[in-house]
Amino acid sequence: MTTKYQRFLLEHSLGGKDPKKWYRNHFVASPGHTDLTDLRELEKVGLMKQIKAPAFCDADSMLFVVTDDGKKFLSG
């Protein structure tokens, strides 16, 4: 079960609440980031996943994306 705040993080990662207006899919965090615990919880339930951060990010940056299941969750 997700919290309202975790739902907000999913929506924020995609660029908003309306699926027709989603224009991105990423959330960058570093160790100690205030949202990292929630991002990891979303990862555990399969709504987000961590992928390799691009080279222009700091070396300790973590990049999270919303999965297809996460998009379905928001759309449903």
Side-chain angles (χ1 to χ4, degrees), residues 7-17 23-24 26-27:
R7 183 181 184 94
F8 165 78
L9 291 176
L10 291 168
E11 292 168 346
H12 174 74
S13 298
L14 294 167
K17 291 182 179 187
Y23 64 95
R24 65 177 179 214
H26 69 276
F27 193 109

Side-chain angles (χ1 to χ4, degrees), residues 11 14-24 71 74-75:
E11 292 168 346
L14 294 167
K17 291 182 179 187
D18 185 351
K20 294 176 186 170
K21 295 181 180 179
W22 289 342
Y23 64 95
R24 65 177 179 214
K71 292 175 185 176
L74 292 175
S75 297

Side-chain angles (χ1 to χ4, degrees), residues 9-49:
L9 291 176
L10 291 168
E11 292 168 346
H12 174 74
S13 298
L14 294 167
K17 291 182 179 187
D18 185 351
K20 294 176 186 170
K21 295 181 180 179
W22 289 342
Y23 64 95
R24 65 177 179 214
N25 187 2
H26 69 276
F27 193 109
V28 180
S30 296
H33 191 285
T34 57
D35 293 326
L36 191 54
T37 299
D38 286 305
L39 294 168
R40 291 290 186 209
E41 286 300 317
L42 290 165
E43 187 178 34
K44 283 181 189 176
V45 297
L47 300 180
M48 291 192 91
K49 68 179 178 179

